[in-house]
Amino acid sequence: MDNQKEQHYSVSNPLDLLLDSEYMKQAIADETSVGGSIGAGLDWGPNIGKLLFDVTLLGRLTTLRISLNKEARLTIEALNLGEKTKLISRAARERIKEKLLFPTPTAIPHIKSVLERDNLYDAQYISDREILKFLLKVILTDHDREIIAEGGSNSERFQIIAELCFDEVVSQL
C-alpha cells in the first residue's frame, strides 16, 4: 500500500460511514485511484444486510426514494404523454433507485445533506418539492435523463429531458 496507513471502518451503523467525511474522502480517492467503481459512497454491497437493521437510515432512504419517485412522476404526468407516462415513470423509478444505491461522488454530499435534515422526515413523503427537484437535478445525469426519455417517442424525448433538468429551480436556490 505504498506506506499508506490502512484504516478499517466499522459498518455496524452504515450512516456513521456516510456521515464520516474522512471515510468518504478516502473512499472516493480509492475509487479514483483504480479508475472505476469499487463501491464507495452509498453502495452498500455485501453490507446491505446491516443497512436493513439500521431502521432510521433505512426509513429515511425509503422515504427519500418514494418522494423522489413521486416528484418525477408528477413532473412526467404534467407533460400529458398519455399511455407512455407509466413506462417513462417506471424508467425514472429505476434510475432513481440506482442513483441512491450507487451515487456519483458529486451527488453524495447532497444526498447526505438531505438524509441529515430531520425536519424532512416527519411525514410519509418529503413535502418540500424544491428540495426534491434540486436533488433530482443533482442525482440524474444527462445519460439517466436519456434512458428515462427512451420510454417516450423522439418528439416527447426532448421535452422530458428539459423538464427533468429543473434548471429554473436550481437558479432560484
Side-chain angles (χ1 to χ4, degrees), residues 17-152:
L17 291 179
L18 180 63
L19 301 177
D20 183 331
S21 62
E22 289 305 312
Y23 168 79
M24 293 305 295
K25 287 178 192 173
Q26 185 60 47
I28 292 168
D30 290 345
E31 191 168 88
T32 302
S33 71
V34 297
S37 177
I38 59 170
L42 293 175
D43 174 7
W44 304 106
N47 295 312
I48 193 73
K50 292 180 182 178
L51 170 65
L52 296 176
F53 291 107
D54 186 333
V55 178
T56 302
L57 178 59
L58 182 60
R60 286 187 178 197
L61 280 171
T62 301
T63 300
L64 179 59
R65 181 181 51 80
I66 291 169
S67 299
L68 289 169
N69 289 343
K70 180 179 178 186
E71 185 59 42
R73 180 182 48 80
L74 291 172
T75 301
I76 292 165
E77 285 177 351
L79 298 173
N80 296 316
L81 302 173
E83 294 178 23
K84 295 179 183 174
T85 300
K86 287 184 181 181
L87 293 172
I88 296 166
S89 294
R90 184 179 307 131
R93 282 192 311 272
E94 290 170 7
R95 299 311 299 168
I96 291 166
K97 180 180 178 182
E98 182 175 324
K99 291 303 180 171
L100 288 176
L101 289 173
F102 308 103
T104 63
T106 304
I108 290 171
H110 299 288
I111 295 169
K112 183 171 114 173
S113 173
V114 171
L115 288 172
E116 291 174 331
R117 293 187 55 185
D118 294 335
N119 63 318
L120 295 176
Y121 299 94
D122 56 1
Q124 184 178 2
Y125 298 104
I126 296 173
S127 59
D128 190 329
R129 293 188 70 191
E130 300 305 311
I131 287 174
L132 295 171
K133 287 178 182 181
F134 175 76
L135 198 52
L136 283 170
K137 166 77 174 167
V138 171
I139 68 171
L140 294 175
T141 64
D142 289 341
H143 178 69
D144 295 320
R145 286 184 280 277
E146 287 282 345
I147 290 171
I148 293 167
E150 286 176 2

